[in-house]
Amino acid sequence: MKKVIFKGDILFTPTKDKFETYRNSYLVSEEGKIVGVFERLDEKYRDYPIVDYSDKLIIPGFVDIHLHAPQYMNMGLGMDKELIPWLNTYTFPEESRFKDLDYAKEVFLKLVQDLIRHGTTSAVVYSSIHKDTTKLLMDLFIESKLRAYVGKVNMDRNANTELKEDTEKSLRDTEEIILEYRDKSPLVKPIITPRFVPSCTEELMKGLGELALKYDVPVQSHLNENRGEIQWVEELHPQFPNYSSVYDHFSLFGQTKTIMAHCIYNKDEEIDLMAERGVYAAHCADSNFNLSSGIMPVRKYLDKGVNVGLGSDISGGHSLSIPRAIVGTIQASKMKWLETNRELKPISCSEAFYMATKGGGSFFGKVGSFEEGYETDLLVVDDSNINDIERLTLEERIERFLYVGDYRNIVERYVAGERIEALSRLNIQTVI
Ligand code: GUN
Ligand code: FE
C-alpha cells in the first residue's frame, strides 16, 4: 500500500465560510487518498515516509471547470469584441486549424504544460469539433497524469463552413469517443459538449441528450452569457420559456452531471432549476470582463444552493491562472454588491478558494479538499519570497499568494498521490 506523509503548513476549505488551517502539521495519504490532517502524528503512522515541506503551504490543487483548449493561442486577441462577433472573427477561424493534428499537438502540449505550471490539477475542457484532435488531447491529458474531462465540441449550425458538422457524423464521432475513452483512464473522461444552443440544431441536441443518458456521460455547455446571444436563442426557439429550458428539453440540463458556463443573466426560475438538478455553474470572471458580457450574481447562486466552480475560459479569459480567477471572482462580486445597492454581499477569499477547489472539484468526485477519503491532489507553495511567514497567519499567507504570488511560487504538484512532472520532461506518446 502506498503510504506517505506530507509535512508543512496545511490549508483547505471543507466549507465555504472559512479556511481550515494546520501549521507545521501532517497530511497522511494512502493509495492516493487522504487519511487525514494531524497536528501530531499517531504512533501508527511511524513507519510512513515523510516528505518534508516545512514552512511551505500545502493546499488542494486548483480546479478549472471551463476552458477551451484550441483557443490557447488566441489568449489576449480580439478583446475589443463581444461574444458573437468575437466567436466569428477570432475563435471559429482558430478552431478550424485544429483539423491539423500536428498543429493541434504543438498547441495542446503548450496548454497542458501551462496548466501544470499554474497548479491546475483538474480541468473540464472543450476540444474542437475534430474527433482525432479530441482523442489526441485526451491522450495528452492521460500522459500528463492530470485529472480531466474532455469534450469534442458539437456544432451543426451557424458556424463557418469548416466547423459546421453533419449532424449524423457529429453524433457518431461523439459516440465513438465515449466508447473508446469511458474506461480507458481513471483520470481522463469524455464529456458531451454541445457548444451552445445557437450552434446546435434540435436534432443534434436530441441525439446528444440520448447519448448522455445511454452512457451516463456528463454534459457541458454555455448559458446566458451575453444579451445578444440570449435574444438570438429566443428568436431560434420562441416556443421555450427560457434558455435553460431548451437544454432541459433535450436532457442536457442535469439529467446527467452538467456544467453550464457563465450564467450571467439567468432568470430566477432557471437558477432554481439548476439548484434542483445539481447543475454546476462555471463562473469565469476574466472572460466576462473581456467580452463585456456582464457580472454573474454569484452570491445569488450560492444562496440558492447551486454548485459554483471557477473557469479560466481561455480565450475569453486571457490566463490559465486559477488564483487570478479567484481574485477576479472577488472583485466582480464587489461590483455586483454596489450595483445591487449592497444587497448581494461580496464573495470572501475562503468562498472563492472553495469554488476553485472543493466546489468545482466535486464535479470529479472527492476532489478539492483534504478531508478523509478525498483524492490526494495537492500543491506545495513556497511563499517565502512574498510573505513574512513567521508573522502572518496562514489565512493571510494564502490571500497574499493568491493576489501577489504567481506560478513560480508553486514548487510541487500531486494528483492522486503522484507527483506531476512538467510535460516537457515527459516522453509524449499518443495513439496517432
Ligand atoms: N459561447 C459559445 N462558444 C463560446 C466560446 O468559445 N467561448 C465563450 N466564452 N462563449 C461561448
Ligand atoms: Fe467558454
Side-chain angles (χ1 to χ4, degrees):
M1 209 162 48
K2 211 168 163 237
K3 301 162 172 176
V4 62
I5 295 170
F6 299 94
K7 183 179 185 201
D9 294 333
I10 302 166
L11 180 149
F12 60 110
T13 44
T15 58
K16 294 184 197 73
D17 50 305
K18 64 175 175 50
F19 287 103
E20 203 152 292
T21 60
Y22 296 82
R23 202 182 265 274
N24 206 16
S25 296
Y26 304 89
L27 187 155
V28 179
S29 170
E30 286 177 5
E31 294 297 339
K33 296 207 177 2
I34 307 285
V35 174
V37 179
F38 309 103
E39 279 166 345
R40 244 166 248 94
L41 265 189
D42 194 281
E43 268 294 294
K44 63 185 172 196
Y45 303 125
R46 207 184 39 198
D47 300 337
Y48 288 33
I50 296 183
V51 193
D52 192 353
Y53 293 123
S54 290
D55 295 333
K56 298 183 176 59
L57 297 169
I58 300 176
I59 60 174
F62 294 126
V63 182
D64 186 339
I65 67 163
H66 184 78
L67 70 136
H68 299 262
Q71 296 177 23
Y72 183 74
M73 298 307 290
N74 265 6
M75 279 192 291
L77 286 181
M79 306 274 88
D80 56 335
K81 297 209 180 317
E82 285 194 54
L83 177 64
I84 304 300
W86 172 79
L87 284 173
N88 289 323
T89 314
Y90 289 93
T91 311
F92 292 169
E94 176 63 13
E95 289 194 15
S96 305
R97 298 182 68 187
F98 283 74
K99 189 175 187 314
D100 175 352
L101 287 171
D102 290 334
Y103 180 64
K105 185 168 176 180
E106 187 189 319
V107 176
F108 289 163
L109 270 170
K110 287 186 184 148
L111 167 87
V112 174
Q113 206 162 327
D114 213 5
L115 283 169
I116 294 171
R117 187 182 294 139
H118 280 102
T120 297
T121 49
S122 301
V124 188
V125 185
Y126 287 55
S127 178
S128 62
I129 61 159
H130 309 98
K131 183 183 71 181
D132 290 340
T133 303
T134 304
K135 290 184 185 183
L136 169 76
L137 181 59
M138 295 185 86
D139 290 332
L140 287 177
F141 270 111
I142 292 171
E143 194 81 13
S144 76
K145 299 198 165 67
L146 294 177
R147 218 178 271 287
Y149 281 100
V150 178
K152 187 205 95 64
V153 165
N154 303 98
M155 44 199 297
D156 67 345
R157 65 172 171 179
N158 297 313
N160 60 2
T161 38
E162 289 94 5
L163 289 188
K164 191 147 68 185
E165 297 181 287
D166 169 73
T167 309
E168 277 303 313
K169 181 171 173 5
S170 182
L171 292 169
R172 257 198 329 272
D173 287 355
T174 304
E175 189 166 19
E176 181 181 316
I177 292 170
I178 292 169
L179 289 171
E180 196 173 321
Y181 282 85
R182 61 182 171 160
D183 298 320
K184 186 167 181 178
S185 148
L187 296 182
V188 178
K189 299 284 182 192
I191 182 165
I192 289 174
T193 307
R195 175 166 219 123
F196 66 158
V197 166
S199 295
C200 302
T201 61
E202 296 202 356
E203 191 190 346
L204 180 58
M205 286 190 275
K206 180 167 177 289
L208 292 174
E210 285 166 2
L211 286 177
L213 291 172
K214 182 171 173 190
Y215 297 111
D216 191 24
V217 178
V219 170
Q220 63 178 345
S221 196
H222 295 89
L223 178 66
N224 290 318
E225 177 178 4
N226 169 287
R227 290 191 196 279
E229 168 213 18
I230 295 165
Q231 198 183 335
W232 195 12
V233 172
E234 281 168 11
E235 285 159 20
L236 290 167
H237 300 279
Q239 71 278 30
F240 287 97
N242 55 52
Y243 197 156
S244 305
S245 63
V246 185
Y247 292 124
D248 189 35
H249 181 78
F250 296 107
S251 305
L252 297 166
F253 205 72
Q255 285 78 5
T256 61
K257 223 164 43 169
T258 302
I259 297 174
M260 287 289 155
H262 306 299
C263 302
I264 296 170
Y265 298 106
N266 284 29
K267 297 173 184 166
D268 281 348
E269 73 255 25
E270 295 180 275
I271 305 178
D272 292 338
L273 189 62
M274 288 181 79
E276 194 185 311
R277 293 282 173 76
V279 173
Y280 284 69
H283 177 42
C284 312
D286 255 353
S287 171
N288 300 161
F289 294 139
N290 287 335
L291 299 177
S292 309
S293 300
I295 299 175
M296 178 192 177
V298 178
R299 173 66 60 202
K300 209 163 158 177
Y301 286 74
L302 296 184
D303 287 349
K304 283 180 180 280
V306 176
N307 300 312
V308 183
L310 302 188
S312 62
D313 192 27
I314 62 158
S315 63
H318 59 282
S319 163
L320 285 173
S321 164
I322 291 299
R324 207 194 138 87
I326 289 172
V327 172
T329 297
I330 297 167
Q331 291 174 324
S333 74
K334 290 173 179 170
M335 295 301 103
K336 185 53 86 180
W337 176 58
L338 293 178
E339 200 186 280
T340 58
N341 284 323
R342 304 185 185 230
E343 190 196 319
L344 296 180
K345 203 164 63 116
I347 300 298
S348 70
C349 191
S350 70
E351 286 174 317
F353 186 87
Y354 176 96
M355 287 183 232
T357 52
K358 189 176 175 180
S362 64
F363 192 76
F364 290 83
K366 287 193 162 184
V367 169
S369 185
F370 291 154
E371 294 152 79
E372 187 186 351
Y374 270 69
E375 301 282 343
T376 306
D377 292 8
L378 61 85
L379 306 177
V380 180
V381 176
D382 181 348
D383 58 331
S384 56
N385 68 327
I386 51 171
N387 285 334
D388 180 348
I389 61 178
E390 295 297 322
R391 190 178 60 84
L392 297 183
T393 64
L394 294 195
E395 286 91 341
E396 288 170 330
R397 282 171 62 189
I398 191 71
E399 187 177 13
R400 285 258 311 166
F401 162 64
L402 295 169
Y403 274 80
V404 309
D406 65 34
Y407 67 86
R408 289 168 296 182
N409 297 105
I410 304 174
V411 291
E412 294 292 354
R413 303 103 176 119
Y414 289 82
V415 173
E418 264 207 71
R419 197 165 154 270
I420 302 293
E421 301 272 349
L423 203 54
S424 57
R425 281 183 269 145
L426 289 177
N427 177 24
I428 304 297
Q429 291 174 342
T430 67
V431 287
I432 301 158

